[in-house]
Amino acid sequence: MAASTTLGHLRTSFSRGSRLLANRRVSSGSHVASVQHYSSSILVELPETHELLRKTCRDFAEGELQHEAGKYDKQGFFPKEKIKAMGDLGLMGLNVPEEYGGTGMDYLAYAVAMEEISRGCATAGVIMSAHNSLYIAPIATFASEKQKEDWVTPFLDGDKIGCFGLSEPGNGSDAGAASTTAKDVGSKYLLNGTKAWITNGYESEASVVFATTDKSAKHKGISAFIVPKPTAGLSLGKKEDKLGIRGSSTCNLIFEDCEIPKENLLGQPGMGFKIAMITLDGGRIGIAGQALGIAQAAFDCAIDYAGKRMAFNGPIIKMQTIQTKLADMALRIESARLLTYKAATLKDNGKPFSKMAAMAKLAASETATFCAHQSIQILGGMGYVSDMPAERHYRDARITEIYEGTSEIQRLVIAGSLIKEYQAL
Amino acid sequence: MSLRVLVGCKRVIDYAVKIRVRPDKLGVVTDGVKHSMNPFDEIAIEEAVRLKEKKIAKEVVAVSCGPTQAQETIRTALAMGADRGIHVEIPAKEMEKLEPLHVSKILAKLAEQEQAELVIVGKQAIDDDSNATAQMTAALLDWPQATFASKLEKTDGELEVTREVDGGLETIKVKLPAVVSSDLRLNEPRYATLPNIMKAKKKKIAKMKPSDLGVNLASHLEVIEVVDPPTREAGIKVEDVDTLVTKLKDSGRI
């Protein structure tokens, strides 16, 4: 059963009431959007199913991840059996419809699950997020039935995971400038080029890779391919030595005349950029969840310490400078969480959610770095050493402002949306 | 032989919460405080579900007595694998009057109505620590009881139960139907998997009132006062073992 943490923690307490969940599943054939009608607003409390999910994820994170996270970080160790356990719980196919072997839950559930898992271990969070949002989601959304059978269904149990190859050494934010090429040689495609910064690069057994079939068409020449791993012509670069999320592997995917069967094209030729952008929109909700988990963990660590650390004749939690820090941290967490829930709910209801997802990811990631920073400050010297998890949260938080769209890109996405809305008036 | 198992699960203040005494000193603060299923009841549910997986039980029915929120507790039991639930509704303001004897009467009546052959409850609830419901339920039903169970095995028409007692472990045989109370080491409850949480949404929870079962909530007990435990004092160091023994004897500790 869940062991009580050595640090104790502040549980966010949502008082639960009973509610009638009218749940209409709208199947678009390729991706299930379930229309949720809650009799009480999620601003007040989460639906029962989501609370049960939160409990499972929290108990798992506290019981299985929290005390091992430091070890995974220090050793750069991929927690294979924990990921398998998460698969057994249904976390590695959270949004996949039940008919493909998934759990069939909505994006709100995904956001909650990501936060709780990441609160225990940010590495487990990113592995789960990259797999669910970046590998499973585009295939579940854009693939043929056969492709789903081959590339989704076997990848839901936590044993087989996937990855997403968009960024390159020459372009991250500038995704439209992809220079990895896919040459149509009749019976197959030949991939050439390098993908960089690929999460789950080492452990994944398949990847969604973006390559251009027509450089002159710029971003409209990019197509998406499902690449099995290992495969001839694909080699992995060295494992990056990262500041944080050190248990997850990050490496280059190097393609040298890599042969990909024709039937591995995902969606239509030239659709790749669109697939990537749509995928990243959903991925932002997951990363927002991860950032919230890191922020919450940092906050829990700080408030617990402040309640126990004695200085100036009392626990430092009595001091105003500490109190204002705690208030600022909690405010940002609460705000980012509400944005994340809103983005998820908009997506679940089939509404445009791009701007909200960008706001959520931006808010949550900047919240994570803020809270981790303040957490170290509250811990003082103890925050700087590995005896306490604060320094790990600080290192884990940093990447959330960079991957799946830098904070700068998020601002541009938001502004783009605002301008469109303004010009439509 | 396939049993129907009735499991009692109580909604209590979560074990991790810092309990605060109410200003009127007649109870503890429950408003806005996190609640969850009594940990020993989680163990009871887990054991019942395992019996079903071993094909010893055919159905697991989870029962909870309480206000509307008790349904969350039942839903948790369903998510762990219970088949259906029964919510005996008791309004929030009457909850303070609810005593183990009332719950025992309710469980006994339900066990008869549902034709259960095994009732499993947690050995005690972490709020009142009464450790009485299992025993009284068995007495009302005139069934044998096996309390503080740390191991449960079915042998023909009987149960072989290992009990944790002060002196160590005691193994007894009880004929079915029987009442069992679960102790800490009986099992480790599973995490409710997400697919099971989804399945639980479709499982039925029947609602009823204590009066439907012929039980009235007349009080037999009155809470006189609830106070915090004494604040922990600093320890003292002594020179040697003899002084230690003397000090312990003087303060009446030994």
Side-chain angles (χ1 to χ4, degrees):
Chain A
M1 200 46 220
S4 52
T5 67
T6 51
L7 301 177
H9 49 266
L10 232 204
R11 293 184 184 218
T12 41
S13 121
F14 293 89
S15 65
R16 309 186 224 161
S18 82
R19 75 226 65 185
L20 298 166
L21 241 175
N23 190 330
R24 275 183 5 245
R25 292 202 164 273
V26 176
S27 178
S28 61
S30 51
H31 188 84
V32 167
S34 53
V35 183
Q36 305 283 6
H37 296 284
Y38 310 128
S39 68
S40 100
S41 165
I42 60 158
L43 292 178
V44 176
E45 57 199 350
L46 287 180
E48 197 172 58
T49 307
H50 297 73
E51 278 297 333
L52 286 172
L53 159 81
R54 177 201 294 285
K55 177 179 159 53
T56 288
C57 293
R58 180 165 287 216
D59 288 349
F60 179 82
E62 286 178 0
E64 312 284 332
L65 297 176
Q66 200 161 34
H67 302 290
E68 307 295 303
K71 188 177 81 179
Y72 302 146
D73 172 71
K74 250 203 170 72
Q75 299 171 4
F77 178 79
F78 182 86
K80 194 170 161 63
E81 6 136 320
K82 303 297 183 193
I83 301 299
K84 173 82 183 99
M86 284 160 63
D88 290 338
L89 288 178
L91 288 171
M92 299 304 269
L94 224 157
N95 301 121
V96 174
E98 285 170 14
E99 67 249 40
Y100 298 105
T103 305
M105 285 190 167
D106 58 18
Y107 264 75
L108 180 60
Y110 180 48
V112 171
M114 276 301 305
E115 182 183 337
E116 294 299 333
I117 293 292
S118 304
R119 183 173 161 270
C121 174
T123 283
V126 75
I127 294 167
M128 175 178 156
S129 171
H131 175 77
N132 272 293
S133 293
L134 303 182
Y135 171 75
I136 294 285
I139 303 178
T141 311
F142 296 102
S144 65
E145 289 307 303
K146 174 83 173 65
Q147 285 174 326
K148 286 184 213 174
E149 210 181 284
D150 290 341
W151 302 107
V152 170
T153 305
F155 281 75
L156 303 175
D157 62 359
D159 258 331
K160 284 161 104 92
I161 60 173
C163 66
F164 178 83
L166 176 64
S167 290
E168 297 174 353
N171 53 269
S173 296
D174 193 6
S179 63
T180 303
T181 54
K183 190 161 165 198
D184 185 341
V185 291
S187 56
K188 41 190 183 281
Y189 289 101
L190 277 183
L191 263 56
N192 275 287
T194 308
K195 291 296 178 186
W197 311 118
I198 309 308
T199 301
N200 295 342
Y202 264 65
E203 297 79 12
S204 51
E205 295 189 45
S207 181
V208 174
V209 176
F210 297 85
T212 179
T213 43
D214 181 0
K215 267 256 175 101
S216 66
K218 300 211 186 134
H219 66 271
K220 293 203 173 126
I222 299 174
S223 301
F225 302 88
I226 303 172
V227 176
K229 290 168 80 257
T231 195
L234 167 59
S235 54
L236 304 179
K238 72 172 196 339
K239 254 192 228 178
E240 303 291 354
D241 182 18
K242 304 192 297 292
L243 178 66
I245 51 164
R246 292 177 59 79
S248 120
S249 66
T250 308
C251 67
N252 286 0
L253 302 180
I254 301 157
F255 297 92
E256 291 163 302
D257 280 345
C258 178
E259 295 182 1
I260 300 297
K262 272 292 176 70
E263 61 261 25
N264 282 32
L265 173 71
L266 180 63
Q268 301 305 318
M271 205 180 168
F273 188 76
K274 181 169 157 219
I275 292 176
M277 292 304 110
I278 290 174
T279 299
L280 287 172
D281 272 346
R284 278 163 197 165
I285 297 172
I287 295 302
Q290 183 199 25
L292 284 173
I294 298 171
Q296 188 66 53
F299 175 85
D300 293 345
C301 176
I303 196 168
D304 183 74
Y305 185 85
K308 295 178 174 144
R309 167 68 178 179
M310 304 296 276
F312 296 100
N313 289 318
I316 60 174
I317 204 172
K318 290 211 186 279
M319 321 209 88
Q320 285 187 330
T321 48
I322 301 293
Q323 290 177 2
T324 51
K325 284 184 201 300
L326 294 173
D328 283 334
M329 289 160 80
L331 165 64
R332 283 166 157 86
I333 293 174
E334 194 65 46
S335 310
R337 189 176 288 132
L338 287 171
L339 284 169
T340 307
Y341 286 0
K342 182 164 181 180
T345 306
L346 285 172
K347 183 174 180 15
D348 287 335
N349 284 278
K351 304 246 192 290
F353 68 97
S354 216
K355 178 181 76 170
M356 202 57 55
M359 285 184 159
K361 198 264 186 187
L362 177 60
S365 53
E366 291 188 345
T367 293
T369 47
F370 176 84
C371 290
H373 183 107
Q374 293 302 327
S375 179
I376 291 187
Q377 201 63 15
I378 289 173
L379 267 60
M382 278 312 286
Y384 204 63
V385 294
S386 59
D387 303 51
M388 295 290 270
E391 58 84 27
R392 189 181 80 242
H393 300 323
Y394 187 77
R395 291 184 288 106
D396 286 341
R398 194 60 190 85
I399 190 63
T400 62
E401 285 198 50
I402 296 172
Y403 60 18
E404 281 192 56
T406 59
S407 298
E408 291 70 28
I409 290 292
Q410 303 306 336
R411 287 180 162 91
L412 295 183
V413 170
I414 295 166
S417 219
L418 296 172
I419 291 167
K420 256 205 211 115
E421 291 161 28
Y422 168 71
Q423 286 173 345
L425 290 174
Chain B
M1 180 198 199
S2 239
L3 318 163
R4 176 173 291 120
V5 186
L6 194 74
V7 185
C9 39
K10 185 180 183 186
R11 178 177 179 264
V12 297
I13 295 178
D14 187 87
Y15 78 91
V17 168
K18 282 205 182 85
I19 307 293
R20 281 177 299 143
V21 176
R22 280 200 328 239
D24 66 6
K25 288 210 178 152
L26 288 175
V28 298
V29 177
T30 53
D31 267 344
V33 166
K34 180 165 202 252
H35 284 65
S36 37
M37 191 193 297
N38 182 34
F40 294 108
D41 298 340
E42 283 182 346
I43 295 173
I45 296 279
E46 174 65 27
E47 196 61 22
V49 173
R50 287 188 189 188
L51 287 173
K52 205 173 77 151
E53 286 168 348
K54 288 185 210 157
K55 306 225 190 293
I56 296 169
K58 66 169 184 271
E59 195 186 31
V60 177
V61 183
V63 182
S64 194
C65 306
T68 326
Q69 294 94 318
Q71 285 185 46
E72 296 159 13
T73 307
I74 299 174
R75 197 69 66 186
T76 308
L78 297 175
M80 283 174 73
D83 297 292
R84 57 186 168 89
I86 299 175
H87 172 211
V88 180
E89 193 154 20
I90 295 165
K93 31 183 184 23
E94 286 179 38
M95 277 307 283
E96 293 193 4
K97 298 196 311 175
L98 190 68
E99 296 164 11
L101 182 56
H102 302 137
V103 178
S104 305
K105 286 181 179 171
I106 289 169
L107 289 179
K109 200 69 212 276
L110 283 172
E112 282 171 349
Q113 258 181 246
E114 297 291 329
Q115 296 178 307
E117 288 167 271
L118 179 56
V119 175
I120 314 182
V121 294
K123 71 171 179 181
Q124 65 200 62
I126 60 170
D127 50 12
D128 57 17
D129 289 321
S130 293
N131 175 22
T133 304
Q135 294 85 338
M136 290 196 286
T137 307
L140 289 166
L141 287 165
D142 198 24
W143 287 5
Q145 61 185 253
T147 53
F148 313 112
S150 64
K151 191 158 169 220
L152 186 70
E153 257 161 23
K154 178 132 178 314
T155 54
D156 289 325
E158 297 184 327
L159 288 179
E160 197 172 286
V161 182
T162 304
R163 311 177 56 227
E164 295 203 3
V165 296
D166 287 344
L169 296 173
E170 178 193 56
T171 306
I172 59 171
K173 273 204 179 99
V174 286
K175 286 196 171 67
L176 290 165
V179 177
V180 171
S181 78
S182 55
D183 208 326
L184 187 65
R185 279 161 280 272
L186 180 58
N187 61 48
E188 196 165 310
R190 61 195 60 196
Y191 301 115
T193 66
L194 274 52
N196 282 342
I197 292 173
M198 293 298 273
K199 283 194 193 121
K201 293 209 285 197
K202 302 183 191 115
K203 294 179 181 173
K204 299 228 181 323
I205 301 180
K207 274 224 293 240
M208 55 189 74
K209 298 195 283 287
S211 50
D212 296 335
L213 300 165
V215 177
N216 81 64
L217 301 185
S219 292
H220 306 91
L221 305 170
E222 183 196 342
V223 172
I224 303 199
E225 194 188 27
V226 176
V227 291
D228 282 302
T231 36
R232 203 182 149 150
E233 285 160 19
I236 39 173
K237 274 195 180 151
V238 293
E239 287 294 305
D240 51 37
V241 177
D242 289 331
T243 324
L244 172 67
V245 174
T246 314
K247 278 223 185 298
L248 285 172
K249 278 197 177 140
D250 285 345
S251 62
R253 296 287 205 264
I254 53 171

